[in-house]
Amino acid sequence: MALKEYHRKRDFTKSPEPVGDEQKDRAQRKGKPRFFCVQKHLASHLHYDFRLEHDGVLLSWAVPKGPSLDPKTKRLAMHVEDHPIEYGTFEGVIPSGYGAGIVMLWDQGTWSAEVDDVSAALRTGDLKFTLDGYKLKGSWVLVRTGGRWGGGDGRSWLLIKHKDEWAGELDITEFAPKSVKSGGDFEDILAADKPDVWQSQRPAKGGEAGAMLAKIVERAAALKSGKTLEPAPAAKRATASRTKATKVAKRKSTKAKSTTPKRKTSAKR
Ligand code: MN
């Protein structure tokens, strides 16, 4: 696919996203460990962009519900255009145009293929691999589905965790919701950029994403002005559910070897 489609969709005079150079990247990255990342992207809908470095670009899938550590939970992953390598560490605000919204670097690390030929695995639609990130580790598979999920256009895949010591029932997106780059949440990323960017014409207006974005804009503006906000009911709810996730994790850790804190300390990046 290369970067043609990526470039066609974007206006780089308006977007802070990197332009990228696949020829240069292919040469420079040769022989180095392959990079992977997951970017949490609040655009018209919240989703998680799952990216694997291969042959000078980042192969990319948009995962609406994000990755699951539970092998029984198969997550829909829409294959989207390849992205430049440089995109993998991007975090920030896309003020308008394609993908307008906030991008958070939710996880990053290295990956290795469990097959000899990645290009062939992509063609057959069955790519097995191992991740070594902060939040995601162990063995996974991306498998292309037939017409059942997306009308048979070949873009619908499933992201599935294989059973191993890194699998479990912990809801990783809820348990570890923040950036591995800045440590912040969406409002911190927006506050560090231009919190007034969406006083009108927000990229997400209605629905869950719209409500989420409205709150984030408000909290980012408060952060920027140095005012402390009254804790919003939504924030209290989030804390409560996070506490619950922690309890679940603690309960789990007595049975299983792997816990998220351990993942964090064992990560290289
Ligand atoms: Mn996206």
Side-chain angles (χ1 to χ4, degrees), residues 40 48 104-107 135 171-180 183-186 189 238 242 245 264:
K40 192 171 165 184
Y48 294 75
M104 175 204 289
L105 188 57
W106 182 79
D107 198 14
K135 300 175 188 178
D171 184 340
I172 190 69
T173 57
E174 197 178 314
F175 181 75
K178 292 186 182 176
S179 168
V180 292
D185 213 329
F186 279 133
I189 296 166
R242 219 163 288 163
K264 278 185 179 165

Side-chain angles (χ1 to χ4, degrees), residues 30-218:
K30 209 167 186 179
K32 297 200 173 127
R34 293 167 190 256
F35 173 87
F36 96 93
C37 75
V38 182
Q39 281 155 325
K40 192 171 165 184
H41 186 186
L42 180 62
S44 53
H45 295 92
L46 178 68
H47 59 275
Y48 294 75
D49 290 305
F50 184 82
R51 310 193 198 279
L52 299 174
E53 176 183 357
H54 174 60
D55 201 18
V57 295
L58 296 176
L59 307 169
S60 297
W61 287 261
V63 185
K65 291 187 177 171
S68 169
L69 303 185
D70 184 353
K72 292 194 294 291
T73 307
K74 299 166 181 177
R75 287 284 157 87
L76 176 66
M78 297 302 290
H79 194 197
V80 297
E81 77 274 16
D82 295 343
H83 279 52
I85 302 284
E86 216 187 321
Y87 203 98
T89 49
F90 173 74
E91 175 169 284
V93 177
I94 305 170
S96 62
Y98 183 77
I102 310 170
V103 176
M104 175 204 289
L105 188 57
W106 182 79
D107 198 14
Q108 70 168 1
T110 57
W111 77 281
S112 52
E114 295 175 13
V115 293
D116 292 332
D117 187 340
V118 172
S119 297
L122 288 169
R123 278 194 301 274
T124 53
D126 185 351
L127 177 61
K128 295 180 176 72
F129 54 93
T130 304
L131 297 179
D132 187 9
Y134 287 81
K135 300 175 188 178
L136 306 182
K137 284 183 178 288
S139 182
W140 297 72
V141 63
L142 270 163
V143 58
R144 190 162 50 220
T145 68
R148 205 146 58 93
W149 296 89
D153 60 358
R155 296 201 147 227
S156 302
W157 296 59
L158 292 171
L159 175 64
I160 309 164
K161 179 78 194 75
H162 281 146
K163 238 180 241 175
D164 63 13
E165 60 176 319
W166 302 105
E169 283 168 20
L170 175 72
D171 184 340
I172 190 69
T173 57
E174 197 178 314
F175 181 75
K178 292 186 182 176
S179 168
V180 292
K181 185 176 184 178
S182 61
D185 213 329
F186 279 133
E187 55 259 42
D188 304 295
I189 296 166
L190 183 57
D193 197 280
K194 298 181 195 72
D196 53 354
V197 67
W198 294 307
Q199 288 308 356
S200 60
Q201 289 301 310
R202 278 181 199 158
K205 285 165 208 114
E208 223 174 293
M212 211 175 146
L213 189 61
K215 229 166 262 160
I216 289 162
V217 169
E218 187 194 337

